[in-house]
Amino acid sequence: MNKQKTAHNIWQVILASSAGTLIEWYDFYIFGSLSAIIAEKFFPPSNPDLAYIMTLATFAVGFVVRPFGAIVFGRLGDIVGRKYTFLLTLLIMGGSTFAIGLVPGYASIGVMAPIIVLLLRLLQGLALGGEYGGAATYVAEHSAHDQRGYYTSFIQTTATLGLFVSLAVILITRSSMTTEHFNDWGWRVPFWLSVLLVLMSYYIRIRLQESPEFAQLKAEGKTAKNPIKESFGKKENLKVVLLALFGAAMGQGVIWYTGQFYALSFLQKTMNVEFVQSNVIIAIALVLGTPFFIYFGRLSDKIGRKKIMMSGMLIAALAYYPIYARMDRIADVRLKTEVTAKYTIENSMARNDKMQNVEKTVRTRVYDDETKVRETVVNTDGKEEKKMEVVVGTSGLIQLVLLVWVQVIFVTMVYGPIAAFLVELFPARIRYTSMSLPYHLGNGVFGGLLPTVATILVTATHHHLAGLVYPIGVALICFVIGVVFIKDNMISKE
């Protein structure tokens, strides 16, 4: 009876923790998934490339601030408790996301638009900085030691599922209206919907009890009075924090964002793959790859966390260049034979105060492998803007899904076991604070800056694959540090 009750409780804990974390990742990722549109809405239209880089930088700010959220909410979680801390982070995250959907565009309020969005991104990052550590710690402290990898791996799926849900909501919203309506106001709908998801998750979480391990510490008066000082003020613990960052979380962060966000950015901005098709490619790859978080989490209970994570880093670093080189070739029309081409010309008056003359010329090219290229030239009172969209054929689509899926497998190898790995490095009294900081530095700084750094490298060098220098270099450095300095006997026995 007790075993049945325990089993029931752990799945209830996993459901509540995962649901909230999934929703917070959803909130976080709709900004990244809509970055191309957000660049047009919230930044000056005079320089589209700079607007896109500034949008990615605003997105990255939410990641960079996460370590501060880890310290603030980690301290709160180690003193007050796990449950109420990640209830608070959930509400902050949801409120900030909903507010982004209400901010007027640059055309309405000028420079205040990007400033307000930046402030809301800061709040999102702070909240997420406290969310993950709380959820992972909460589940781990309800789990048996030899099942922590398995049970915490369900938390690991939420980041990918949150991205998948964000893509699904965006695609459904986009499909339910015209392109003009979506670009005008429909892109705000996914932000507004977060309120419903947050309320649902809050209802689930409020019914939970505190974790038994923390409750016992509190009852015995053994909770940390100053978890920040204990975590980072003591030399022996600070050493473990630094090793967790540079020997695990740093490499995991860049691999995570390369396999999902950089892949999407590369499809849309470098390969010019059409918006819906690029999101469908990522979504399918995520669905196919997500079960492997559970597989590698469970495998880590049997053979160890370190072996799987280090293998994933090394394989990813060696495989990225050939993978992205192949992706680039699939959409390269210079390697294809053109079959047909047609033109249409549309004349209209723009709906603005200036009533400018707008002439739109659309040329569609069809190639021998069913790939279609739609080139649109918009001439507004003599000022010309060009846009190209590629819709790859069936064979190319399948190849792209597989190539992104392989990258997701790399993600599952390094990310699936890392929650249990980090939890086990630190004693319970300072666990929330100690594990949250290296995790969010690795993901928030090293991983979160990846799209921005990669885009800058590509823009500066004019080479499609230059952005890969960053994730490959970081992953290799982390692999060497992890293999040499992280030992199996570092696991905390408390």
Side-chain angles (χ1 to χ4, degrees), residues 24-32 59 62-63 93 121 125 128:
E24 293 208 31
W25 282 115
Y26 163 84
D27 286 353
F28 207 72
Y29 289 146
I30 50 178
F31 190 99
F59 183 61
F63 289 97
M93 188 74 182
R121 285 292 296 166
L128 192 54

Side-chain angles (χ1 to χ4, degrees), residues 222-238:
K222 294 181 179 179
T223 56
K225 291 180 173 58
N226 191 339
I228 295 177
K229 183 178 180 180
E230 287 191 45
S231 295
F232 314 121
K234 293 183 177 180
K235 184 177 179 180
E236 61 273 16
N237 199 71
L238 179 60

Side-chain angles (χ1 to χ4, degrees), residues 474-486:
V474 172
L476 288 175
I477 292 170
C478 189
F479 168 78
V480 172
I481 294 173
V483 167
V484 174
F485 295 104
I486 293 180

Side-chain angles (χ1 to χ4, degrees), residues 10-47:
I10 187 62
W11 288 113
Q12 190 177 38
V13 165
I14 290 171
L15 173 64
S17 301
S18 299
T21 308
L22 184 150
I23 290 166
E24 293 208 31
W25 282 115
Y26 163 84
D27 286 353
F28 207 72
Y29 289 146
I30 50 178
F31 190 99
S33 300
L34 292 169
S35 57
I37 292 177
I38 289 173
E40 298 174 1
K41 297 299 178 182
F42 292 123
F43 292 89
S46 55
N47 190 331

Side-chain angles (χ1 to χ4, degrees), residues 3 11 27 30 42 52 90 102 111 120 129 133 141 187 189 223 310 340 363 375 401 407 420 425 429 445 448:
K3 287 185 178 180
W11 288 113
D27 286 353
I30 50 178
F42 292 123
Y52 185 68
L90 178 68
L102 300 176
V111 72
L120 292 171
E141 290 179 350
W187 62 271
V189 173
T223 56
M310 295 302 115
T340 60
R363 177 177 184 175
E375 296 174 332
V401 169
Q407 295 179 64
L425 283 179
R429 58 188 280 112
V445 177

Side-chain angles (χ1 to χ4, degrees), residues 344-350 356-361 379:
T344 61
I345 296 179
E346 303 172 11
N347 293 303
S348 62
M349 296 293 287
Q356 297 164 308
N357 289 308
V358 178
E359 182 182 81
K360 182 167 68 174
T361 304
N379 191 306

Side-chain angles (χ1 to χ4, degrees), residues 356-415:
Q356 297 164 308
N357 289 308
V358 178
E359 182 182 81
K360 182 167 68 174
T361 304
V362 181
R363 177 177 184 175
T364 303
R365 303 170 182 264
V366 182
Y367 294 84
D368 53 350
D369 65 347
E370 300 179 336
T371 294
K372 297 178 182 178
V373 176
R374 190 172 186 265
E375 296 174 332
T376 303
V377 179
V378 179
N379 191 306
T380 306
D381 284 349
K383 184 179 179 181
E384 192 174 87
E385 293 182 10
K386 296 181 180 180
K387 181 180 181 181
M388 185 176 81
E389 291 182 324
V390 178
V391 178
V392 298
T394 303
S395 174
L397 178 64
I398 293 172
Q399 290 182 64
L400 286 173
V401 169
L402 289 175
L403 289 169
V404 176
W405 174 75
V406 170
Q407 295 179 64
V408 175
I409 295 301
F410 299 154
V411 174
T412 64
M413 291 181 71
V414 297
Y415 195 58

Side-chain angles (χ1 to χ4, degrees), residues 258-465:
T258 301
Q260 297 178 107
F261 267 108
Y262 185 65
L264 179 61
S265 176
F266 191 84
L267 286 168
Q268 292 182 344
K269 303 300 291 186
T270 302
M271 296 170 59
N272 295 309
V273 176
E274 187 265 337
F275 179 82
V276 172
Q277 189 178 58
S278 61
N279 281 281
V280 167
I281 289 167
I282 298 293
I284 294 174
L286 291 178
V287 170
L288 295 176
T290 296
F292 287 88
F293 285 106
I294 311 297
Y295 171 76
F296 286 115
R298 189 158 211 166
L299 186 63
S300 74
D301 286 326
K302 299 177 180 178
I303 68 172
R305 330 287 187 204
K306 176 183 169 180
K307 293 177 184 177
I308 299 172
M309 293 163 57
M310 295 302 115
S311 298
M313 288 181 203
L314 180 60
I315 297 170
L318 296 176
Y320 278 150
Y321 190 88
I323 285 175
Y324 278 88
R326 179 56 191 162
M327 287 174 65
D328 197 29
R329 288 174 62 86
I330 289 172
D332 191 345
V333 296
R334 295 172 300 180
L335 305 176
K336 306 177 190 297
T337 302
E338 185 176 327
V339 178
T340 60
K342 62 180 181 180
Y343 300 84
T344 61
I345 296 179
E346 303 172 11
N347 293 303
S348 62
M349 296 293 287
R351 295 182 179 179
N352 56 33
D353 295 337
K354 297 180 181 179
M355 293 301 290
Q356 297 164 308
N357 289 308
V358 178
E359 182 182 81
K360 182 167 68 174
T361 304
V362 181
R363 177 177 184 175
T364 303
R365 303 170 182 264
V366 182
Y367 294 84
D368 53 350
D369 65 347
E370 300 179 336
T371 294
K372 297 178 182 178
V373 176
R374 190 172 186 265
E375 296 174 332
T376 303
V377 179
V378 179
N379 191 306
T380 306
D381 284 349
K383 184 179 179 181
E384 192 174 87
E385 293 182 10
K386 296 181 180 180
K387 181 180 181 181
M388 185 176 81
E389 291 182 324
V390 178
V391 178
V392 298
T394 303
S395 174
L397 178 64
I398 293 172
Q399 290 182 64
L400 286 173
V401 169
L402 289 175
L403 289 169
V404 176
W405 174 75
V406 170
Q407 295 179 64
V408 175
I409 295 301
F410 299 154
V411 174
T412 64
M413 291 181 71
V414 297
Y415 195 58
I418 201 167
F421 171 81
L422 291 174
V423 164
E424 292 170 346
L425 283 179
F426 304 102
R429 58 188 280 112
I430 56 171
R431 180 173 289 152
Y432 200 145
T433 304
S434 295
M435 73 160 287
S436 293
L437 186 64
Y439 173 82
H440 287 296
L441 282 172
N443 285 266
V445 177
F446 290 97
L449 287 177
L450 190 149
T452 306
V453 173
T455 301
I456 291 172
L457 288 173
V458 171
T459 303
T461 61
H462 302 289
H463 192 288
H464 285 182
L465 304 179

